[in-house]
Amino acid sequence: MPEPMLELKGVSVQFGSFLALRKVSVSVAEGEIVVLLGANGAGKSTLFRAVSGLERPSEGTIHFDGQDISRLAAHRIVREGVAHAPEGKHLFTEASVRKNLLLGAYVRRKDPAGVQESMEEVFDLFPMLRAKAGDAAGTLSGGQQQMLSIGRALMARPRLLLLDEPSLGLAPLVVEEVFESILEINRRGTAVFLAEQNAHAALKVAQRGYVIESGSVALEGDRDTLVDNPEVRRAYIGV
């Protein structure tokens, strides 16, 4: 396996007496799509928040491109090349689509030409956002808001994109469209770490993955290993 771009070693995250993550070790290499499968409450969002600098590990280390980012502030981690599209989208619903996108490029605000170029790339990826650029984000459908959330993260021009539950609450046809966009983002050179309960959709695009249960990694393997695992099929694919 190639050298990891992102590497978590023995990472634990604690909230008071509750241990949300227990000695988790996972990695993502440059150019990969890796899925983190798990039920609601398994620890997926906590893991992503730890990578993004929104939670501090109580033990273990997080390295990105060989640099220890375990204690870096969130905005510094974005500058290093990691962007996060969180579960629930967290858009500024009264602001326009364009303003939401511009907020995603805040760390690059001194490069207006580069920011405009990134916005054009997002509009090429999601043409609907171009058509609705002046509309309030809160007026978009659920699928459109998910595309805006992903687009906003891409405005930081990340080398690694964290996508937390991008299919949540979306109709099957929209899920298919979102996952096609994930493949295209990866083709354009961005590694993707994807947290999902929808294993059927996620394992169509990911090269490999991890299963997290009660804050610990219970299983890992390549796509075929996970698809063929009877426990994964029963719990996450429904067969």
Side-chain angles (χ1 to χ4, degrees):
M1 196 174 102
E3 281 292 307
M5 171 191 286
L6 175 72
E7 187 170 30
L8 283 72
K9 288 185 177 179
V11 170
S12 298
V13 174
Q14 193 159 354
F15 302 111
S17 60
F18 175 62
L19 199 57
L21 291 181
R22 296 174 176 83
K23 297 185 180 296
V24 169
S25 296
V26 300
S27 66
V28 180
E30 193 152 6
E32 277 195 308
I33 301 177
V34 176
V35 64
L36 183 67
L37 296 173
N40 191 32
K44 303 187 302 298
S45 293
T46 300
L47 190 155
F48 276 19
R49 286 175 63 83
V51 173
S52 297
L54 301 172
E55 306 291 350
R56 290 281 178 258
S58 51
E59 64 176 322
T61 59
I62 304 172
H63 283 81
F64 181 72
D65 243 5
Q67 177 185 358
D68 189 342
I69 63 170
S70 311
R71 303 286 174 215
L72 281 187
H75 70 277
R76 288 278 310 280
I77 292 172
V78 175
R79 279 204 186 100
E80 292 300 322
V82 181
H84 183 180
E87 180 184 354
K89 308 173 191 72
H90 297 282
L91 300 172
F92 294 92
T93 55
E94 294 183 7
S96 69
V97 165
R98 186 180 298 276
K99 285 184 179 177
N100 272 272
L101 291 174
L102 287 172
L103 286 166
Y106 183 76
V107 298
R108 301 174 56 216
R109 61 195 182 279
K110 294 181 181 177
D111 177 22
V115 169
Q116 186 57 42
E117 183 181 340
S118 293
M119 187 170 292
E120 288 301 318
E121 289 170 358
V122 169
F123 286 156
D124 287 344
L125 184 65
F126 300 117
M128 169 278 308
L129 295 182
R130 186 192 301 275
K132 293 182 175 286
D135 295 358
T139 66
L140 303 184
S141 69
Q144 291 167 346
Q145 288 189 14
Q146 185 60 69
M147 293 170 192
L148 177 55
S149 177
I150 295 171
R152 182 178 61 183
L154 291 173
M155 289 295 293
R157 195 161 275 179
R159 293 178 53 220
L160 173 65
L161 178 62
L162 307 178
L163 292 179
D164 194 353
E165 300 281 9
S167 74
L168 189 65
L170 303 184
L173 282 176
V174 181
V175 170
E176 191 174 327
E177 192 175 348
V178 167
F179 275 85
E180 276 298 321
S181 72
I182 291 169
L183 278 173
E184 180 57 29
I185 289 163
N186 185 245
R187 287 187 203 106
R188 294 181 182 188
T190 304
V192 179
F193 196 12
L194 172 68
E196 263 294 344
Q197 294 182 56
N198 187 341
H200 182 70
L203 289 171
K204 284 183 177 179
V205 301
Q207 287 93 23
R208 59 186 188 87
Y210 301 88
V211 176
I212 188 169
E213 295 177 356
S214 302
S216 299
V217 173
L219 186 67
E220 62 181 282
D222 62 23
R223 174 184 2 206
D224 292 340
T225 299
L226 293 177
V227 167
D228 292 340
N229 184 284
E231 291 183 21
V232 172
R233 291 175 71 84
R234 184 170 58 252
Y236 301 106
I237 302 177
V239 292

